[in-house]
Amino acid sequence: MLDVQNLCKSFDKKPSLTELTFQVAAGECLILLGRNGTGKTLLLNILATLVKPTSGTVSIDGIDAFTNLEQVRPTIGYIPVGFEGYPELSVMDYLNFFADAYKLQKPERAAAIDAVLELMDIDHLRDIRIETLSTGERQRLLFAKTFLHEPQLWILDEPFAPLDPNGQIEMIELIGELRAMRKTVIIATNRLEDVCRFGNVASENETLIGILKDGRFALLKTFRELREENVETASPDGFYELFSELTNLGLTQSVSLKSP
């Protein structure tokens, strides 16, 4: 479980994130939305332990992240928006590089790489240089690399942005598989349709919606709660109206939710 308590981050004494408190259990998904500059990517970077908060705590399975970095980081898989670096490497060289970084021993390394290549359906690309891969193929490679160390917490920044419609459908299925594997998934997106897309998927696990405004939660509820309060909210048009109201007409009373 991801447990965030009273998280704050300031730069030059100017707050960027203020008193964020939430929990996301195994198998659950938190979708973060907000206008540009509201702190979505900053929050992801903190959850990935790449940026230290000014105050507050981030815990994974009861372990404080920032006082136990070596213990916690192997449990985190962070996929930023876009693919950067290593264009000259082949797919196999890239995966071997990260297998070494993850300290996979050679006897298990070959089997682990073969498994993720097959899982992401890119086995036929193993000898291809990264610079020649399509955008969708690079996204698959990022996931393959992340699967190598089998993280519990998956942090995805705009996972649909570089994908064509077929790739988006495959990504939805992949995230569904992660949840079925009891992984905790955090997604930041600017696409309002993603909320309804994930929220309406039948699942025994919750989909949480967090809308950020000025570094605070203007809304933090489960999709089920939103649907029960107003069934129209479950439609793209209904959620667009809700988002517009919360982000353009001022901050409503924040709603804090702790997952069971």
Side-chain angles (χ1 to χ4, degrees), residues 120-138:
M120 298 310 303
D121 194 24
I122 55 173
D123 186 66
H124 61 291
L125 301 174
R126 60 171 61 219
D127 297 320
I128 303 299
R129 287 164 63 98
I130 290 174
E131 63 186 355
T132 67
L133 298 179
S134 70
T135 302
E137 289 168 342
R138 294 185 185 199

Side-chain angles (χ1 to χ4, degrees), residues 2-246:
L2 172 66
D3 186 4
V4 177
Q5 296 291 323
N6 301 316
L7 185 70
C8 299
K9 180 62 180 178
S10 298
F11 295 97
D12 296 327
K13 298 184 179 180
K14 182 179 179 180
S16 295
L17 297 174
T18 305
E19 295 184 354
L20 301 183
T21 294
F22 59 94
Q23 296 178 342
V24 191
E28 292 187 345
C29 176
L30 168 62
I31 302 177
L32 294 170
L33 299 109
R35 301 173 68 178
N36 291 339
T38 55
K40 299 189 300 297
T41 296
L42 174 60
L43 177 55
L44 295 191
N45 285 333
I46 292 174
L47 299 182
T49 70
L50 301 177
V51 174
K52 188 174 182 179
T54 302
S55 61
T57 60
V58 176
S59 300
I60 301 175
D61 291 336
I63 301 171
D64 184 271
F66 287 94
T67 56
N68 300 277
L69 287 175
E70 290 188 4
Q71 185 177 357
V72 165
R73 279 181 170 165
T75 71
I76 300 171
Y78 180 36
I79 300 183
V81 60
F83 192 105
E84 298 180 1
Y86 313 106
E88 73 286 353
L89 294 183
S90 70
V91 167
M92 278 296 293
D93 289 340
Y94 179 81
L95 292 176
N96 269 302
F97 173 82
F98 279 97
D100 186 56
Y102 297 145
K103 299 181 180 179
L104 293 181
Q105 300 301 310
K106 288 188 176 180
E108 64 179 327
R109 180 181 302 182
I113 290 176
D114 286 344
V116 298
L117 286 170
E118 181 177 355
L119 176 67
M120 298 310 303
D121 194 24
I122 55 173
D123 186 66
H124 61 291
L125 301 174
R126 60 171 61 219
D127 297 320
I128 303 299
R129 287 164 63 98
I130 290 174
E131 63 186 355
T132 67
L133 298 179
S134 70
T135 302
E137 289 168 342
R138 294 185 185 199
Q139 189 80 339
R140 287 174 175 272
L141 180 56
L142 281 174
F143 271 79
K145 177 266 292 184
T146 306
F147 266 112
L148 279 174
H149 69 292
E150 300 182 355
Q152 175 58 37
L153 174 62
W154 285 70
I155 301 171
L156 313 178
D157 195 359
E158 294 286 354
F160 300 98
L163 300 178
D164 62 19
N166 285 340
Q168 294 174 31
I169 292 171
E170 292 171 353
M171 182 62 63
I172 292 169
E173 293 174 349
L174 177 58
I175 293 172
E177 292 175 8
L178 289 175
R179 298 181 67 181
M181 296 165 63
R182 304 289 295 166
K183 305 297 185 181
T184 301
V185 182
I186 312 296
I187 299 173
T189 181
N190 283 326
R191 297 157 50 95
L192 297 183
E193 61 268 31
D194 292 340
V195 175
C196 298
R197 180 179 281 170
F198 281 100
N200 283 313
V201 172
S203 173
E204 64 181 14
N205 302 315
E206 294 283 10
T207 297
L208 295 83
I209 311 301
I211 297 178
L212 286 169
K213 178 180 170 62
D214 299 330
R216 298 175 181 267
F217 278 123
L219 177 80
L220 182 60
K221 288 189 176 183
T222 68
F223 191 82
R224 182 181 304 169
E225 286 178 318
L226 292 176
R227 188 168 47 210
E228 289 174 351
E229 291 174 1
N230 183 353
V231 68
E232 294 300 322
T233 304
S235 69
D237 287 344
F239 189 79
Y240 175 83
E241 291 181 6
L242 175 65
F243 180 85
S244 179
E245 177 184 351
L246 292 176

